[in-house]
Every structure is written in C-alpha cells, then in structure tokens.
C-alpha cells in the first residue's frame, strides 16, 4: 500500500533555494507545489490544500508575516518560515502570528526533514484528536496524565510552575515556542513583558533534567526566538 | 658652449619666460621728453583718444593739465578716475587712487608724471611703483617722463643744468617699457613756448627754472633724451639679434666692481658704474668695505644704506664686508668674483693724509695687477645734503674724570719714587698712565691724558719744579716725543677698541644666526619654528617680532608673539608682502607708514609667510647691517618652514603609502581566503557532476563533505567580514536583555558542534549565576569566535574548557585551550584587525574574529583579554558588567506535585 504523498507548498522566490528544497524533499516522498510570489502562493494554498507550507519571509510582493496571517484566517495548515540569520524579530512575529516553526538559512537537509516531521505529526495529532499522554525522548520520560517526570528512570521533582512549563513544551515537542507563547501559556497574558521569568525557570529545568546544563540535549534555546524541546 | 650662430639656450628661455609674463602684464607706453613743456601730456592724451576711438576702455587715472585749455579740451570725453584726497600737514592733496583704478580695471589708464612721489600714507612711496602694480594686474598704462627723472642720468642732468631733480625713476622701468615715444621739439621752439606762457612753471621753482631753461641746457638735454632713446633702440636690436641667433658684435665677459662708502659722491660713482656696465653689457657689483679702524656713525650708516639701495635699484648686486685692510679686501673680493674692472672714487681728502696713513687708492692700484682700476670723480653736488661729520660714539663724562685720576695717580707714584729713580723713568710712568687710560676709555680721554701727563710731568718733575717753565731745552724734545708717543698710543688703543667692537658685532650676528639655526633644528612643528624665529629676533634686536603664516581662510594667523589674530591693517600689509615677496613697512619704500617692518619669509622663490618686526624707528630699519641680519634670519626661517612642510608632506605620503600597502596586502589575502574554498567547492561539485558514474558512494560522500565544509568556511569568513563592516560603521547596536549565560554558552557550543568534534569540551558554569544584561546574539557571536579560535589552534583531542564566574562585579567567561599560546608582547596585537599569528601562517581566517570579540565586549562596557596558561596554551576571558540586580520573580508555592512515591528531591542545586 502506498500512502499518498504529502503535499508541500513551497513559497520561495529564489530559484536556487527552490531547486535545493526540491532536491531535498522529493526523494523523501514529498510532493512539491511551488510558488514564486506570495499571491501565487496563497492561490496555490487554496487550490491544493497542502499538508505543510514552507514560507520564505523575504518575498517580493508581500511580507511573510502578512501571508501567515492571511493563511491562518482560513486554515490551520502547519507553516514553517524560512529566513536569514539576524532577523529574529521577523521570525518571532511570524511565529506569534501563527507559524509553527522556522528554519534559519543556511540549513541542512536533516534539519529541514526533522522540522517537517514534527509539523506533520502535530497536525495529525490535532486532527486526529488524540493527545498522547506519554512522551519520551532520549532518557526523558513525561507522563502528562500522571504528571510524572523521570530522567534515566529516576523520578524528578518539579515545582508546579516548572512542570507547567515542561508540559507546554511537551505538548509542542519538536516545535519552537516563542517567549511570548510560553509566557502566556504558563504565567498568563500579563507576563509577556517579563521574559526573565522564562530564563530563570528554564535554567532551573535544565539543572534538574540535563546532564550538562550548559550543553543541553533536550531543552534547547533558540536565541532571540524562544525554546524548543527536542522530540527525536 | 653654444656654437656660434646658435642662440644661447638660457637667454632664449629667459626671453620666452619674459614674453610669457609680458603677455599677462599690461603694456606700458612712455611719453618721453627732454624737458617740461615739450608736449608729453598733450601727445599722451591724443594717443588715448585714438585708442578710445578704437574701442579700448580708457580711463584717465591722473592727468596734470596745469590749467592749459588745449590739454583740458583733450581730456573732455575721457572718463576721469576720482582722486583720493589725503590730508598732509594741514593741506589737502589729491592723489592718484590706486585701489580705485585696480577695482575699475580699465583696459588702458593714463598716469601722468611717472616720477611723482606719493603723499605719505599711500601704499607705495613712488608713482612708478603704483604703475608697476597696475601693469601686474593686467592694466595697460600710458605715462609721461622727463629725461632728468631717469636714475642713472640724474647726476648728468644735474651737471648740465645745475638743478638737481630729486624725483627719479629706476632705469629698469624705462627699459622694460613696451613702447617709448620721444616727444621732441627743438630748443628754440621750447623757449618760444615758455615765453608765450604755454609752459607750466610752479611759482616756487621759478627762479631755478629760469636757470634750467637756458638754451644751452635745453640743447644738451635734448641730446641726452635722444641718445637715451637711441640706446633703447640699440638694446632692442641686440635682443632681436640674440633671439635670432645673430652674433653679438661685442661679446663680453666683463664684470665691474664699484667701491663705495657712505659719502654721497658714491651715488655718482654708482651711476657711472651703471652706465659703464650697460655699455659693456656686463654684470656689476657694488661693494662697501667697512674698515674696522673707522666705524661708521649712525648717519653714515643711513647714507650708506641709501647708496646701496640706489645700487640695487639700478640693477647691481650689492655686498657689505668688514675688514682691517680695506684695499686688500677689495682686491681679494674682486678676484673671487672674477671681476675685470674696479671703479673707485677720486680721493676727496688732502694729500697730507695720504702721506701719513697711506692712500687706499694707491694700495688698490698697486695691488690690482691684472685688474683695471678706473678712478671716477667724486665731486659733491651742491644740492645734496652735506655728509654729516663722522660722530664718534659719545664718551661719558665719567671717563674724563677717571683719566685725570689715573694721571694724577701716576704723578703721585712718581713723587713717591722720586728719590730712587731717574726722571726718565718717571716719564715712563706717565706713558703707562696714558696707555691705561686709552685702553679703558678710548681715544679722546687718552688725548686728554696725554696733555695732562705732559703738563704734570713738566710741572712737578722738570726743573724748575712746580712751574711750567723749562730750564733745559732738551726737555722740550722729551715733551714732543712724549706727546707723539702718547697720541700714537691713543690712536692705537682706539683702533684696537674699534676692531674689538667690530669683531664683537660680527660675532654677535654670527652667534645670533647660529643660535637661530640650532633652535630651528630643535623645533618640531610650525609653531615651534615660529617661536624660535620670533624669540631670536626679539633677543637679538630687542624688538618684538611675530611670524604670520597664511591660514586657509585667506587671512593670517600669528604663530608666535603678539595677538593670535593680527589686526586688519597688519593683515593688509602682510598680504601685500606675501603676494609680492618684497619687504614693506617702516624703513621701506612701500607702506612706510605701517606699524612695523614686514619681511617676507621665502624659500625656493615663493613667500611662505611674513616676519613682522616692531622697530623703534625708521632709521634702525634702514640700517643695512641690521637689515642684512634680519633678512638672513628670515631666509633661515624660510628654509626651516619649507623643511617642516616637506617633512609633514613626506610623513603623510608615507602613511598613505603604508595604508595603500596594507590595503593591497589585505585585498590579496582576503581574495585568497575567499577563492580557496570556492575553488574547493567548484572542484568537488564538478567532479560530482561530471564523474558521477565512475565514483564510488564513498568518494561521492567525501566530495559532498568537502563542499559542505568549504561552504561553511566561506560562510564564517563572510559573516566575520560583514560583522566587521557593521562594527566599523558604528551600526553595532546592543539590544540588552536579561540573559542567562548558561543559555548563551549552550547555543554557541551547539552552533559549533561539528567543528568542535575533535575537541572534548568541558564546561563549568555555576547554577546560581544571576541573569546578566547583554545582547544575546552578539555575545553568542563573540563566544563562537573565541571557541573557533580555540579549536583552530588546539591540537586534536585536547580539551577546551569553558567557564563562567563572578568576579568583582563582572561576569567573566573563560575559554581555555592547550594550543601554542600567545607570544609575550603580542597579547594586545592579536585583537587588531587582520592580525594573524606570524608563527602559524597555515591557519586560515582573515584575522577578524578577535577584533569582533573586542568590539562586542566594548559595546557592552566590558573587556576581553588573553592570559597565558600554566602548562601551555591560553585563556581568553570575556568580562561583562553585571548591571545591578535582575528583576525579581513572582513567588510561587513549593508544593510537591509529584505523585511519585519516591522520596522528594530537594530543590538544592548540585
């Protein structure tokens, strides 16, 4: 039985980039639909109803942020934004506007594939309605139903806030979460002006869970953007 | 040597230069006449009207019509430049307005009476100088001139007419005129005109002019004017022949030396010298040898100055030397200058002097050997002021008293020794007294001493005692001899003193110049130089001096002494001096009413600045010896300033060359660093493309890896370059946030995961570090650069240690490696742009990484440095200020949330 190939909509104006992505994704079973401009892209999105959208932030006709907003008006399709290094604020804005993840150019194929997998999985989970209570990655195990966290088999005691923070990350495992998203979910909307809360609590989580807190394996920092819990 | 028939290249060049400068100058046409009343002004006006009719822009600058109707009629219709009124001793004079003429800038201007002397307060002392300025500004001039106004003819005319005309024009002006039109009428016609009242006669000079206008005079003057004009034509002919290579009829290598003194008769000698030199087409030098025996008085110095200036005006080179033996000095100078003829004046003193002290002329002639000596008459003209008697320096009254005391002391001594010694010995005592007095007090007290000594000797020691009578006639002889000896001693003493004074003055001048050159050698920059110069002038002449240098704004800045910005008047004079390269101010012919003497500081022919010397009076400024020294100082200053300017320029150029060299080497190394990875990528990619079938999967993997690595290498280089550009352009903006150092380190280590594979990393980051304000991305970049550095230089397998700690209000991140370490003395240099370790050339990179780290550290208010490590290697430390206490956290309850039955783990940090 051959599964239908997932449709990926690529909205990217640079031909070399499209060539590269085509070469990277098609061998892995993705069906690529390409668009060169934002308007063309949105048209294609409506026409093909893709599983994932890869959106370049530096499009000629419309801002990537605007594209994200417009797509989000009528679809929950996972959007991964592609942007250059040093434009963190653009990425954060896109993420806060509804994009699911981002990739910083230049990125490798494994990175790309990993993000796509995460995005697809979360979409499937959401659509499928199943919310797996048990999560495991490497030596870390989290049971959301039992509210249990263990590392290398040993239970770890977390404060309520720490647990809440970890839970949010587990629910979005593999995806980046912006400071704003995390602060809002854990401390409430008024907390979004206090990113230092996050820093401290993430630090505490790392101390409790990571073997070498200064070289985390699971709780990854995305400087200028947010945090990500490794999923695989 | 030039071949016969070929024009002399130097002369030709001089002609070309002259023609070029002529082209820019206005043209000067002289209306030349033998006497007043021949019709020069009239002719000039006619010519002017003709020019106007041809369309030339003609303006009458100053035209003297002398109220003659015909002349006045010609003036009608011509634009007349308003005169400048000048108040002088209660009278109002209407002078030619030079500035007005320059502003008006006509094509042709009429300036009557070229020899006129301007009123005090005018820019130039003489009208011919005004005309020179007009010509220099490109305005053509018509002017009038009488033959007696020509400098070199002045004395001849005086001889002819018996009237001395004081206003003269240098011969050079006459000769350089582009056109000379001789307005010639016969003597009878002129006399007729005089009788008819058509000739202007100023009332004061009426009587003198009666004498002037005798027929014989007029004929002689006419001849003189005609001859002078003919000479001019001859000179033009010579010039023509020289330009066209036609042989000169009498090539000559003659050179004249004219020997003068302060005597006004020397002026005549100078003019004769000029005529002879002109006739011979020879150079001529005017020399004054100052005898150290007879020092010149102040008024003599003035007169000498006048003579020397006359000589310069007439085109001679001048020199002033001081010597003991005047004749010998003249001859040796003559020989050293390759002089062929010497001109000297006839002696004016009586023959008895020659018998006594020897004749200068005689010695000159006897020593002349191969040189010709011409002796010219030196009769004094009546009109000239008589030479002042030589004034010896005043003797203080105390000197005479002292003299008397000395003689008295000798007498007393003699009295005491009377019994033991002969009377002749007493006489010796008195002679001793005279000598002492001469040595101490000079000639005149010595003469007094002589007389007193003899009187006292006679009175006290010669029988009959205590009278002036003399018993034995032989004593008279004794007295005579004593007197002669005493007088000789006085003279000798005076001469020695004179020599000593002369030597001292020479030595002072030399010392001043030497001191100046030493000060100038020490000076480092323009203002030091100016200080040295003005200081020296002040010391030597006791006159405050300022050095004025032109500034960029077109004004002058005073560099030493005096106010920083000179007043407007001083600026004006300084500007003139700078433009013309000639002295001006007190004691000169230009702007003699200015507040000080302004000398140009020149070098290589152009003026660099102005030396302003405040002098007490004009007389001192005119003294040739002082002026010579001042000018020597100004010359030295000029050389020093030029040297300083050249040194500065050379330094700038050196820096520019160095910068250029640096840029070139930089460009080539960057180009290499960029091309090398690209070459690798291209090679691997093309191998993959073209040899796809023949390659094994492993080979393909290797090639792909190569491409990846090289691309990353380029990426790093390009990032560094871009970062550098941002830093340099000041666009490095630090967006401060409370960050966790642990996180930043983590991100940096993650970014370099692949690169650091060959090196184990050991981290020591305490868990309780506070949040630190920083720009996370920038600090991460800094850490990446430091880690890359460590990886580059560390041997494989060596551990790299990353630490973070609090230290005295700062957060210090340390990155330690076991590499070769930094050579002592290079700890600062490694942070410089483009610096690469000289020992490890093969390690790539543009040398920018550490520079960027430093820039980031500084942007945060922190610092970065390197330390040597015990056991080998280096530790780089990046310190960031803590910035106060981080914001507080919300309180939360610490309920155990685990449902796990396991014992609680405390929250204590490990």
């Amino acid at each position: 039985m051959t599964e239908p190939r997932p449709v990926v909509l690529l909205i990217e104006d640079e031909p070399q980039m499209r060539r590269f992505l085509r070469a990277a994704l098609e061998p892995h079973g993705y069906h690529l639909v390409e668009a060169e401009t934002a308007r063309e892209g949105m048209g294609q999105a409506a026409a093909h109803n893709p599983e994932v959208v890869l959106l370049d932030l530096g499009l000629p006709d419309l801002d990537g942020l605007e594209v994200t907003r417009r797509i989000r008006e009528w679809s929950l399709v996972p959007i991964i934004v592609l942007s250059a290094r040093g434009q963190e604020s653009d990425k954060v804005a896109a993420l806060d506007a509804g994009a699911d993840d981002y990739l910083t150019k230049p990125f490798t194929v494994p990175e790309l594939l990993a993000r796509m997998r995460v995005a697809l999985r979360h979409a499937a989970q959401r659509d499928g309605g199943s919310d797996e209570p048990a999560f495991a990655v490497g030596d870390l195990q989290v049971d959301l139903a039992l509210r249990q966290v263990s590392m290398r088999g040993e239970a770890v005691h977390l404060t309520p806030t720490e647990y809440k923070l970890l839970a949010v990350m587990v629910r979005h495992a593999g995806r980046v979460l912006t400071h704003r998203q995390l602060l809002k979910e854990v401390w409430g909307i008024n907390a979004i002006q206090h990113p230092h809360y996050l820093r401290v609590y993430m630090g505490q989580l790392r101390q409790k869970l990571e073997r070498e807190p200064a070289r985390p394996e699971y709780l990854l920092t995305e400087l200028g953007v947010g945090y990500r819990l490794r999923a695989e | 040597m030039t071949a016969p028939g070929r024009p002399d290249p130097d002369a030709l060049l001089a002609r070309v230069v002259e023609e070029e400068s002529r082209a820019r100058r206005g043209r000067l046409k002289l209306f030349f006449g033998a006497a007043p009343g021949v019709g020069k002004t009239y002719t000039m006006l006619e010519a002017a009207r003709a020019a106007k009719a041809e369309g030339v822009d003609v303006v009458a600058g100053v035209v003297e019509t002398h109220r003659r109707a015909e002349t006045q009629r010609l003036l009608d219709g011509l634009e007349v430049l308003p005169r400048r009124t000048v108040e002088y001793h209660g009278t109002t004079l209407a002078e030619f307005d030079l500035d007005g003429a320059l502003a008006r800038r006509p094509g042709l201007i009429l300036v009557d009476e070229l020899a006129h002397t301007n009123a005090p307060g005018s820019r130039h002392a003489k009208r011919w100088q005004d005309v020179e300025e007009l010509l220099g500004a490109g305005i053509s001039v018509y002017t009038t001139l009488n033959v007696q106004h020509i400098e070199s003819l002045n004395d001849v005319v005086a001889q002819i007419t018996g009237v001395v005309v004081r206003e003269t024009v240098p011969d050079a002006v006459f000769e350089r005129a582009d056109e000379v039109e001789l307005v010639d009428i016969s003597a009878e016609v002129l006399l007729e005109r005089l009788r008819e009242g058509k000739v202007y006669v100023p009332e004061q000079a009426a009587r003198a002019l009666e004498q002037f206008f005798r027929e014989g005079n007029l004929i002689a003057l006419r001849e003189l004017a005609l001859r002078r004009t003919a000479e001019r034509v001859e000179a033009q002919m010579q010039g023509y022949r020289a330009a066209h290579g036609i042989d000169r009829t009498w090539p000559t290598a003659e050179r004249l030396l004219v020997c003068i003194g302060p005597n006004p008769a020397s002026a005549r000698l100078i003019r004769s010298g000029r005529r002879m030199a002109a006739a011979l087409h020879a150079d001529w030098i005017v020399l004054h040898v100052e005898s150290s025996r007879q020092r010149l008085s102040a008024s003599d110095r003035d007169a000498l100055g006048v003579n020397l200036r006359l000589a310069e005006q007439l085109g001679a080179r001048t020199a002033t030397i001081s010597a003991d033996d005047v004749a010998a000095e003249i001859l040796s100078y003559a020989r050293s200058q390759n002089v062929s003829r010497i001109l000297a004046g006839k002696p004016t003193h009586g023959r008895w002097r020659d018998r006594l002290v020897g004749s200068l002329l005689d010695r000159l002639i006897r020593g002349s050997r191969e040189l010709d000596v011409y002796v010219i008459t030196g009769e004094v003209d009546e009109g000239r002021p008589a030479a002042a008697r030589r004034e010896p320096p005043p003797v203080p009254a105390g000197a005479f008293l002292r003299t008397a005391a000395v003689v008295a002391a000798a007498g007393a001594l003699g009295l005491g020794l009377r019994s033991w010694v002969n009377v002749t010995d007493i006489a010796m005592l008195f002679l001793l007294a005279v000598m002492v007095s001469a040595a101490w007090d000079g000639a005149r007290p010595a003469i007094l001493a002589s007389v007193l000594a003899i009187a006292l000797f006679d009175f006290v020691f010669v029988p009959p005692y205590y009278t002036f009578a003399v018993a034995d006639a032989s004593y008279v002889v004794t007295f005579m001899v004593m007197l002669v000896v005493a007088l000789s001693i006085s003279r000798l003493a005076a001469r020695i003193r004179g020599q000593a004074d002369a030597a001292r003055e020479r030595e002072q001048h030399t010392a001043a110049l030497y001191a100046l050159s030493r000060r100038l050698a020490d000076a480092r920059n323009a203002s030091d130089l100016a200080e040295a110069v003005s200081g020296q002038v002040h010391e030597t002449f006791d006159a405050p001096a300022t050095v004025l240098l032109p500034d960029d704004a077109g004004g002058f800045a005073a560099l030493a002494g005096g106010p920083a910005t000179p007043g407007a008047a001083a600026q004006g004079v300084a500007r003139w001096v700078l433009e013309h390269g000639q002295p001006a101010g007190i004691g000169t012919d230009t702007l003699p009413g200015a507040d000080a003497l302004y000398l140009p500081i020149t070098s290589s022919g152009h003026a660099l600045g102005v030396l302003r010397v405040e002098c007490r009076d004009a007389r001192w400024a005119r003294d040739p010896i002082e002026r010579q020294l001042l000018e020597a100082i100004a010359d030295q200053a000029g050389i020093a300033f030029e040297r300083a300017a050249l040194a500065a320029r050379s330094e700038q150029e050196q820096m520019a060359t160095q910068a250029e060299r640096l840029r070139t080497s930089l460009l080539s190394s960057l180009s290499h660093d960029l091309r090398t990875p690209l070459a690798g990528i291209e090679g691997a990619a093309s191998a993959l493309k073209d040899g796809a079938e023949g390659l094994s999967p492993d080979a393909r993997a290797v090639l792909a890896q190569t491409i990846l690595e090289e691309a990353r290498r380029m990426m790093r280089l390009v990032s560094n370059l871009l970062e550098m550009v941002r830093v340099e352009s000041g666009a490095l903006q630090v967006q401060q946030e409370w960050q966790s150092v642990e996180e930043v380190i983590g991100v940096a280590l993650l970014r370099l995961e692949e690169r650091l594979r060959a090196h184990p990393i050991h981290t020591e980051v305490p868990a309780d570090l506070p949040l630190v304000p920083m720009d996370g991305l920038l600090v991460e970049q800094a850490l990446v650069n430091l880690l890359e550095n460590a990886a580059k230089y560390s041997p494989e397998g060596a551990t790299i240690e990353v630490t973070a700690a609090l230290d005295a209000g700062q957060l210090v991140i340390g990155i330690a490696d076991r590499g070769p370490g930094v050579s002592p003395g290079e700890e600062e240099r490694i942070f410089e742009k483009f610096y690469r370790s000289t020992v490890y050339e093969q390690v790539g990179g543009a040398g920018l990484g550490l520079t960027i780290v430093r820039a980031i550290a500084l942007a945060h208010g922190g610092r970065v440095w390197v330390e040597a490590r015990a056991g080998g290697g280096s530790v780089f430390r990046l310190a960031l200020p803590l910035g106060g206490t981080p914001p507080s956290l919300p309180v939360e309850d610490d309920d155990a949330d685990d449902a796990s039955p396991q014992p609680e783990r405390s929250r204590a940090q490990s």
Side-chain angles (χ1 to χ4, degrees), chain A:
Chain A
M1 173 189 74
T2 39
E3 285 191 14
R5 296 198 297 162
V7 176
V8 178
L9 172 60
L10 171 59
I11 313 180
E12 166 64 65
D13 61 323
E14 278 178 46
Q16 304 94 302
M17 208 54 205
R18 287 203 303 273
R19 215 169 21 231
F20 158 62
L21 288 167
R22 208 180 309 140
L25 293 173
E26 280 184 351
H28 287 87
Y30 293 95
H31 172 66
L32 239 62
V33 174
E34 296 176 23
E36 276 187 40
T37 67
R39 291 180 211 283
E40 193 187 330
M42 289 191 294
Q44 299 280 41
H48 294 271
N49 208 15
E51 328 269 326
V52 178
V53 174
L54 289 176
L55 172 62
D56 176 41
L57 282 184
L59 290 171
D61 54 343
L62 210 52
D63 191 9
L65 181 60
E66 191 54 35
V67 175
T68 309
R69 285 206 197 105
R70 291 204 194 169
I71 294 180
R72 275 286 169 266
E73 281 170 12
W74 55 269
S75 169
L76 289 171
V77 61
I79 303 176
I80 301 178
V81 296
L82 311 172
S83 84
R85 182 181 157 76
Q87 290 171 343
E88 273 63 35
S89 48
D90 294 345
K91 293 176 217 157
V92 170
L95 289 167
D96 286 337
D100 291 72
D101 214 328
Y102 74 97
L103 278 165
T104 309
K105 293 189 241 188
F107 50 84
T108 61
V109 173
E111 276 180 298
L112 171 65
L113 293 172
R115 301 281 155 93
M116 295 204 53
R117 278 198 296 276
V118 167
L120 286 170
R121 189 171 57 237
H122 282 290
Q125 276 181 347
R126 186 187 58 233
D127 294 340
S130 65
D131 229 342
E132 282 235 11
F135 169 82
V137 59
D139 292 325
L140 176 67
Q141 284 148 346
V142 180
D143 191 327
L144 291 173
L146 299 174
R147 297 173 73 94
Q148 272 180 355
V149 179
S150 59
M151 171 61 77
R152 285 178 289 279
E154 291 183 17
V156 178
H157 170 72
L158 299 178
T159 71
T161 317
E162 288 168 5
Y163 178 78
K164 208 166 163 189
L165 181 54
L166 184 59
V168 171
M169 298 197 71
V170 165
R171 277 201 287 277
H172 295 269
R175 268 197 357 211
V176 68
L177 288 160
T178 63
H179 300 298
R180 189 194 155 100
Q181 286 165 342
L182 283 168
L183 287 165
K184 191 167 134 201
E185 288 238 20
V186 177
W187 284 277
I189 189 80
N190 291 330
I192 54 180
Q193 306 138 21
H194 304 295
H196 61 277
Y197 291 177
L198 257 186
R199 308 257 155 84
V200 173
Y201 276 94
M202 285 303 296
Q204 283 168 203
L205 273 179
R206 279 196 302 269
Q207 288 295 329
K208 289 189 176 174
L209 297 175
E210 294 280 357
R211 203 197 327 246
E212 211 182 328
R215 282 187 98 176
E217 295 174 275
Y218 306 101
L219 297 162
L220 307 173
T221 311
E222 308 273 326
L223 261 189
V225 179
Y227 296 92
R228 184 198 304 275
L229 175 64
R230 209 176 102 213
E232 33 185 65

Side-chain angles (χ1 to χ4, degrees), chain A residues 85-86 88 105-106 108 146-149 153-163 179 187 195-204 206-208 212-216 220-224 227, chain B residues 712 715 737-740 742-747 749-751 753 761-763 765-767 771 776-777 780-781 887-890 892-902 904-905 907 909-910:
Chain A
R85 182 181 157 76
E88 273 63 35
K105 293 189 241 188
T108 61
L146 299 174
R147 297 173 73 94
Q148 272 180 355
V149 179
E154 291 183 17
V156 178
H157 170 72
L158 299 178
T159 71
T161 317
E162 288 168 5
Y163 178 78
H179 300 298
W187 284 277
H196 61 277
Y197 291 177
L198 257 186
R199 308 257 155 84
V200 173
Y201 276 94
M202 285 303 296
Q204 283 168 203
R206 279 196 302 269
Q207 288 295 329
K208 289 189 176 174
E212 211 182 328
R215 282 187 98 176
L220 307 173
T221 311
E222 308 273 326
L223 261 189
Y227 296 92
Chain B
R712 289 202 172 126
M715 187 69 185
E737 278 190 0
W738 293 98
Q739 294 278 5
S740 158
E742 189 183 86
E743 277 181 16
V744 177
I745 292 176
V747 174
L749 287 171
L750 189 60
R751 183 132 85 103
E753 198 169 21
I761 307 281
H762 174 69
T763 60
V765 181
L771 296 181
L777 285 169
E780 188 239 340
Q781 176 69 48
S888 54
L889 292 173
E892 66 155 335
D893 46 356
D894 196 3
D895 294 345
D897 229 20
D898 268 346
S900 152
Q902 300 239 346
E904 277 188 18
R905 274 183 168 243
R907 264 183 68 198
Q909 316 291 8
S910 49

